[in-house]
Amino acid sequence: MKAIAVKTGDQLEELDLPLPELFELDLLIEVKAIGLNPVDTKVRKQQHSPAQPKILGWDASGIVKAIGKKVSRFSIGDEVYYSGDIHRQGCNAEYQVVDERLVALKPSLLSFTEAAALPLTSLTAYEGLYNHLALNSQSSHEFLLVIGGAGGVGSMVIQLARLIPSLKIVASASRPSSQKACIESGADEVIDHPLKISNPQLISRFNYIFCTQSTDIYFYPMTNLIAPFGKIVCIVESTLPFNLEVLKNKSASFAWEFMFTRSLYQIEMEKQGEILSKVAHLVDRRSIRVPPIQILTGFNIENVIQGHQLLETGKTIGKIVIEMG
Amino acid sequence: MKAIAVKTGDQLEELDLPLPELFELDLLIEVKAIGLNPVDTKVRKQQHSPAQPKILGWDASGIVKAIGKKVSRFSIGDEVYYSGDIHRQGCNAEYQVVDERLVALKPSLLSFTEAAALPLTSLTAYEGLYNHLALNSQSSHEFLLVIGGAGGVGSMVIQLARLIPSLKIVASASRPSSQKACIESGADEVIDHPLKISNPQLISRFNYIFCTQSTDIYFYPMTNLIAPFGKIVCIVESTLPFNLEVLKNKSASFAWEFMFTRSLYQIEMEKQGEILSKVAHLVDRRSIRVPPIQILTGFNIENVIQGHQLLETGKTIGKIVIEMG
């Protein structure tokens, strides 16, 4: 099968690789569309062995072509979407194997291309909001701050949080177009860059903070903005040490959301399939919008390289999706 | 009224002070017994103004002698116990005023002396377990590690966690007598000092860790012991910065429990009265034991100084309680 992979130091190559081995809970999926994410460029830069080329890509949709012996949830021909497992081969290939517990039927309203734009951001947003911040129906009238509300994860956070009636959602965004996007996603209010906040009414205001941007930059500002007994969740790796003591008087907490924890530790992996099923249901009910998509047509090395270059500008709006064509 | 207070630099003095002013939600309480805690010696060492002597003491039992205009939960003559508000005057006095929301009727099985040993540790343990670690009936078969299981807070943590059937409770303790105390409190297993853990089966094992000892010492060991999606709660202030990144692959979280957050920020203060009511009920059902108590008889400067000195040895077993006599 055709695959685009990294053999050594940061170089993408188009390779002809054997079909991957199918374990008993795996689905063999014919990939129809590939969503690109910053994790692709991060893994590209890691050390890999030339003898074991690493196939990148952790957002995809496709069709089930074969199933492992113990697969119980899917049948051949099912149209599915998933993010997958960062420690297995990714979706930049004609075929991929994925544990069925990480997979769901794709939203029926969406094309493969649209469906491939959703899994990683929606899993991150959902786990952050419902596992870590522990939002629930009693969170009404509480305040959530979404730092970076116009990005891929941020817009999904706002949309999924919007399902809780009367939760007050405040998003941060700098540019007017981003601020407009936050309101369209469902934010009640948009504020400027959190480092510029001088409004004393926002100090200790937020019961929940979901930071989709630099943890290093926003850690201390968040400790001012968080409410007593408040919860902070972050997704961007940090390089600095932090003085946790500043959260103590507030009995506040800090959590990481890392979308690949479940597959990495093989912990309740079926929860990710369940989340993707819920998201598909919400999309089909038109409660969640698909982000703007920039389509690259054709699965070839040029398009993957172009996609990575676009990601690395940091200026893409919405999702980049490669259609297999 | 007689009170023992700090006027300047670290010096306890016996003073004759006016009765404190009663606000509309306050109870005026005749103090019958005073529990001593490390927070007493910490506040003693802080800067105070000679014009406003600071009365220490945040564990007490007593009798309601007068009530504010809007008090609705208590009547004159009620026998109560409470920890109180660290930013108001403490209980080292013949009389004290406390917001009724922080107070509960004392366990009917207990003497005033026994009741004064419970509030601060049980509030800390309860908030840590149920607010921060979010233990619930679905936590069965999960693993809780209590670092310092034989101390005042630790023994209460074990007893309150023991109410969840099938939760596996592992406590750390070094001395044989402490290890025995952990088992008597309800721990399933006792391990040695967490820094000495070499058993690889304990790595990533614990869904919950409640650290009652030095956060500075145990932070990094806890990041090894915590399970994916696990929660850590700490109560001892830290002086070191920490590299939070080590928790990221596990999507783990870190929370502070500080018993005075609710009164400091005036946030749902009634929850503390509710917790103390639950604890009283559990004591009266004999589900919670009172810790060993070392009684100092008579409310005088000598006994308060002796109590502080005992606390500062760090070697007291159980609680020190001063009976007003």
Side-chain angles (χ1 to χ4, degrees):
Chain A
M1 67 174 188
K2 183 162 88 174
I4 293 172
V6 192
K7 283 169 90 172
T8 52
D10 212 8
Q11 290 299 314
L12 291 166
E13 292 184 48
E14 187 172 313
L15 301 171
D16 185 20
L17 295 175
L19 272 186
E21 189 182 357
L22 195 67
F23 291 92
E24 56 188 16
L25 283 172
D26 284 342
L27 310 176
L28 176 72
I29 293 164
E30 180 191 350
V31 178
K32 301 296 283 181
I34 297 166
L36 270 64
N37 290 289
V39 66
D40 296 342
T41 62
K42 281 181 207 158
V43 177
R44 191 193 75 214
K45 291 172 188 161
Q46 292 171 357
Q47 285 290 332
H48 303 286
S49 151
Q52 293 179 305
K54 179 72 175 177
I55 303 175
L56 307 177
W58 289 279
D59 246 349
S61 59
I63 299 172
V64 177
K65 289 292 175 179
I67 60 175
K69 279 180 200 167
K70 292 199 173 166
V71 162
S72 63
R73 305 169 202 217
F74 296 93
S75 307
I76 291 169
D78 282 347
E79 298 185 354
V80 296
Y81 77 141
Y82 54 92
S83 181
D85 177 344
I86 203 169
H87 286 80
R88 299 182 74 177
Q89 296 289 38
C91 62
N92 287 194
E94 290 176 301
Y95 295 91
Q96 180 185 13
V97 292
V98 183
D99 188 299
E100 68 163 345
R101 292 170 290 180
L102 301 174
V103 175
L105 294 176
K106 82 170 176 62
S108 50
L109 280 185
L110 299 189
S111 66
F112 284 111
T113 302
E114 292 167 317
L118 290 177
L120 191 144
T121 54
S122 56
L123 287 165
T124 302
Y126 193 99
E127 290 185 346
L129 287 170
Y130 295 101
N131 293 136
H132 294 296
L133 299 183
L135 285 189
N136 59 55
S137 56
Q138 298 184 340
S139 309
S140 283
H141 306 294
E142 293 191 303
F143 282 77
L144 166 68
L145 173 63
V146 184
I147 297 180
V153 175
S155 64
M156 196 57 74
V157 169
I158 296 172
Q159 291 183 79
L160 286 171
R162 187 66 290 155
L163 302 172
I164 296 180
S166 313
L167 179 73
K168 303 295 177 192
I169 304 175
V170 179
S172 81
S174 299
R175 289 174 295 172
S177 61
S178 306
Q179 297 183 339
K180 184 161 169 280
C182 291
I183 296 293
E184 285 170 359
S185 293
D188 295 296
E189 195 181 330
V190 184
I191 58 175
D192 200 355
H193 199 288
L195 293 183
K196 296 182 196 160
I197 289 172
S198 56
N199 182 348
Q201 292 192 330
L202 296 178
I203 302 302
S204 300
R205 178 66 158 173
F206 297 99
N207 309 93
Y208 311 99
I209 301 180
F210 198 129
C211 181
T212 73
Q213 298 182 337
S214 167
T215 305
D216 285 345
I217 290 175
Y218 293 113
F219 181 81
Y220 289 109
M222 288 192 289
T223 67
N224 285 323
L225 298 169
I226 195 72
F229 283 89
K231 296 172 195 284
I232 294 168
V233 67
C234 291
I235 62 171
V236 178
E237 62 273 25
S238 63
T239 60
L240 302 175
F242 298 113
N243 175 9
L244 287 173
E245 183 68 12
V246 293
L247 291 170
K248 184 162 188 283
N249 268 0
K250 291 182 179 176
S251 288
S253 71
F254 175 95
W256 287 110
E257 160 55 21
F258 177 54
M259 208 284 300
F260 295 107
T261 297
R262 291 198 188 281
S263 50
L264 182 57
Y265 288 94
Q266 307 270 311
I267 297 284
E268 297 185 308
M269 289 165 63
E270 65 282 1
K271 296 223 167 167
Q272 293 207 327
E274 290 165 15
I275 292 170
L276 289 175
S277 288
K278 282 182 197 163
V279 169
H281 180 67
L282 290 166
V283 169
D284 286 339
R285 254 176 43 191
R286 300 179 201 278
S287 296
I288 288 183
R289 291 175 303 118
V290 176
I293 295 176
Q294 180 172 354
I295 299 175
L296 301 173
T297 305
F299 177 56
N300 53 53
I301 183 87
E302 294 78 17
N303 275 342
V304 177
I305 289 174
Q306 189 191 345
H308 280 232
Q309 287 171 345
L310 285 167
L311 279 176
E312 286 170 335
T313 64
K315 290 185 182 164
T316 53
I317 292 181
K319 272 314 251 200
I320 301 163
V321 176
I322 296 173
E323 286 184 345
M324 301 304 273
Chain B
M1 66 175 189
K2 182 162 89 174
I4 293 173
V6 192
K7 283 169 90 171
T8 52
D10 211 8
Q11 289 299 314
L12 291 166
E13 292 184 47
E14 186 172 315
L15 301 172
D16 185 21
L17 296 175
L19 272 186
E21 189 182 358
L22 195 68
F23 291 92
E24 56 188 16
L25 283 171
D26 285 342
L27 310 176
L28 176 72
I29 293 164
E30 180 191 351
V31 178
K32 300 296 283 181
I34 297 167
L36 270 64
N37 291 289
V39 67
D40 295 341
T41 62
K42 282 181 206 157
V43 176
R44 191 194 74 214
K45 292 172 188 162
Q46 292 171 356
Q47 285 291 331
H48 302 286
S49 150
Q52 293 179 304
K54 179 72 176 176
I55 303 175
L56 308 176
W58 289 279
D59 246 349
S61 60
I63 299 171
V64 177
K65 289 292 175 179
I67 60 175
K69 279 180 199 166
K70 293 199 173 167
V71 162
S72 62
R73 306 169 201 217
F74 296 93
S75 307
I76 291 170
D78 282 347
E79 298 185 354
V80 295
Y81 77 141
Y82 54 91
S83 181
D85 177 344
I86 203 169
H87 285 79
R88 299 182 73 177
Q89 296 289 38
C91 62
N92 287 194
E94 290 176 301
Y95 295 91
Q96 181 185 12
V97 291
V98 183
D99 188 299
E100 68 162 346
R101 292 170 290 179
L102 301 174
V103 175
L105 293 176
K106 82 169 176 61
S108 50
L109 280 186
L110 299 190
S111 66
F112 284 112
T113 302
E114 292 167 317
L118 290 177
L120 192 144
T121 55
S122 56
L123 286 166
T124 302
Y126 193 99
E127 290 186 346
L129 287 170
Y130 295 101
N131 293 136
H132 293 296
L133 300 183
L135 285 189
N136 59 54
S137 55
Q138 299 184 341
S139 309
S140 283
H141 306 294
E142 293 191 302
F143 283 77
L144 166 69
L145 173 63
V146 184
I147 297 180
V153 175
S155 64
M156 196 56 75
V157 169
I158 295 172
Q159 292 183 78
L160 286 171
R162 187 66 291 154
L163 302 172
I164 296 180
S166 313
L167 179 73
K168 302 295 176 193
I169 304 174
V170 178
S172 81
S174 299
R175 288 174 296 172
S177 61
S178 306
Q179 297 182 339
K180 183 160 170 280
C182 291
I183 296 293
E184 285 170 358
S185 293
D188 295 297
E189 195 181 330
V190 184
I191 58 175
D192 200 355
H193 200 288
L195 293 183
K196 296 183 197 159
I197 288 172
S198 56
N199 181 348
Q201 292 192 331
L202 295 178
I203 302 302
S204 301
R205 178 65 159 174
F206 297 99
N207 309 93
Y208 311 99
I209 301 179
F210 197 130
C211 181
T212 73
Q213 297 182 338
S214 167
T215 305
D216 285 345
I217 290 175
Y218 292 113
F219 181 82
Y220 290 109
M222 289 193 289
T223 68
N224 285 323
L225 298 169
I226 194 73
F229 282 89
K231 296 172 194 284
I232 294 168
V233 68
C234 290
I235 62 171
V236 178
E237 62 273 25
S238 62
T239 60
L240 302 175
F242 299 113
N243 175 9
L244 287 173
E245 183 68 12
V246 293
L247 291 170
K248 184 161 188 283
N249 268 0
K250 291 182 178 175
S251 287
S253 71
F254 175 95
W256 287 111
E257 160 55 22
F258 177 54
M259 207 284 299
F260 295 107
T261 297
R262 291 197 188 281
S263 50
L264 182 57
Y265 288 93
Q266 307 269 312
I267 297 284
E268 297 184 308
M269 289 164 62
E270 65 282 2
K271 296 224 166 164
Q272 294 207 327
E274 291 164 16
I275 292 170
L276 289 175
S277 288
K278 282 182 198 164
V279 169
H281 180 67
L282 290 165
V283 169
D284 286 339
R285 253 176 44 191
R286 300 180 202 276
S287 297
I288 289 183
R289 291 175 303 118
V290 176
I293 295 175
Q294 180 172 354
I295 299 175
L296 301 173
T297 305
F299 177 56
N300 53 53
I301 183 86
E302 293 78 17
N303 275 342
V304 177
I305 289 174
Q306 189 191 345
H308 280 232
Q309 286 170 345
L310 285 168
L311 279 176
E312 286 170 335
T313 65
K315 290 185 182 164
T316 53
I317 292 181
K319 268 323 245 197
I320 301 163
V321 176
I322 296 173
E323 285 183 346
M324 300 304 272

